[in-house]
Each structure stands twice: as C-alpha cells, then as structure tokens.
Amino acid sequence: MIPLMNGLGFRVAGSLILLLLVISGCQAQQDQRDFEANAISPPSGITVTDIHGVTPEGATDPDDWRSSPFYSGIIDISPARPNPVLSTEEVVIELYMDLDTRVSRIQAVVLHDNGETPPLDDISGAPLPPGRHELRFPASSLTRTVSPQGLFRVLIYDGDWQIISYGDIEVE
C-alpha cells in the first residue's frame, strides 16, 4: 500500500510545481527578450516569394517571419510578398489569428539604421476578429531616400508594442 501524502508532502509538491511554473515563465520572458534583440538587429537575407506568396525550395531565411515566443501558436505570419519587390509595387504580409487572440491592434513599421521606426500600415479593432488579416504598404515607403533600393527590416507589433514578428524585404 502506498502511503498518502501528509500536509507537508502536499506543501512541498505544491512549492515544486510553483517553482517550475516560475522558472518556465522566466524562460519564456527571456526567450521573448532574445527574440526582440534579434528583431532590432540589421537586416540580413530574405525569404524569396512571388506575388502569390510562393517560396521556391531553398529560398527561405529561417530568421524571417517567425512568430515571437509570446505569440507562437496564436498568430502565424506568412512571409512578405513579393520579395524581392520593385519600388513601384505593394508589399503584403498576411497574418492568421487564432480564436483566442485578444489583440486590438497590429502595426508594421520599418526599422531604419538610426533607430527610427516609421509606420507602414496597421490593423485595428476591439479586439481583432480571428482569421486572416493583411498588412499592405508601398515598397517605396520602406526608405527615407529618393532611391528606395536596399534591404529593410520590418517589425510587426501589437497595440502594446510587444513584438509579434519581423523580417527583411529587399527593394530592387
């Protein structure tokens, strides 16, 4: 016969469970901080897509368009399309939101080398309904100069400025 736990045993087991929850919560916060640090690094490579969002095999940048740890499994991001993009074209980024999402705003910004983050597009609601949403903006809005060619880092935030995703777009 297995002896039943006494009050002390329950308190110890409860304390261990609480400790595990705190540790996993701390790890999730550290994972988010690491993700955010990567997000504000300089752009480096792209996930190639056509106008329909099709990516040729081997043309994926594994660092681009991932959901942050806080939004993993809640909001999925499709790579920007087309990429590379002509300066006269429009960029589209699709998001798929889970039923349990409590997000009321999603905003795309471009990260310039001086730290400025001009807005590109946003979606607002109270809260946003589940399903597919699109961020759209002209490729020419990625730059501060007359010549819009180059590689640009796009950041996607929620209404509380919590980063959801990021990726790089090449303007030709």
Side-chain angles (χ1 to χ4, degrees), residues 28-45:
Q29 288 177 348
Q30 183 60 48
D31 291 347
Q32 182 70 19
R33 282 192 294 271
D34 292 345
F35 186 88
E36 290 172 356
N38 290 333
I40 60 171
S41 63
S44 60

Side-chain angles (χ1 to χ4, degrees), residues 67 70-77 95-106 123 125-133 157-160 164:
S67 294
F70 284 173
Y71 282 105
S72 181
I74 299 170
I75 298 178
D76 292 321
I77 311 290
L95 302 97
Y96 299 90
M97 299 178 63
D98 192 326
L99 295 174
D100 297 331
T101 306
R102 300 278 188 258
V103 176
S104 60
R105 183 175 187 202
I106 295 176
I123 306 165
L128 290 171
R132 181 178 158 275
H133 298 273
Y157 288 98
D158 68 11
D160 295 323
I164 297 170

Side-chain angles (χ1 to χ4, degrees), residues 106-161:
I106 295 176
Q107 181 175 15
V109 301
V110 59
L111 177 63
H112 289 298
D113 52 7
N114 66 357
E116 291 178 357
T117 55
L120 298 169
D121 191 17
D122 70 30
I123 306 165
S124 297
L128 290 171
R132 181 178 158 275
H133 298 273
E134 288 184 347
L135 293 162
R136 294 177 165 270
F137 50 89
S140 61
S141 66
L142 291 168
T143 185
R144 300 176 306 218
T145 65
V146 176
S147 175
Q149 283 98 10
L151 192 60
F152 301 92
R153 172 68 45 101
V154 173
L155 307 170
I156 300 174
Y157 288 98
D158 68 11
D160 295 323
W161 287 101

Side-chain angles (χ1 to χ4, degrees), residues 51 81-82 85-92 135-139:
I51 193 78
R81 64 175 164 58
V85 61
L86 297 175
S87 63
T88 56
E89 293 180 309
E90 182 178 62
V91 176
V92 178
L135 293 162
R136 294 177 165 270
F137 50 89

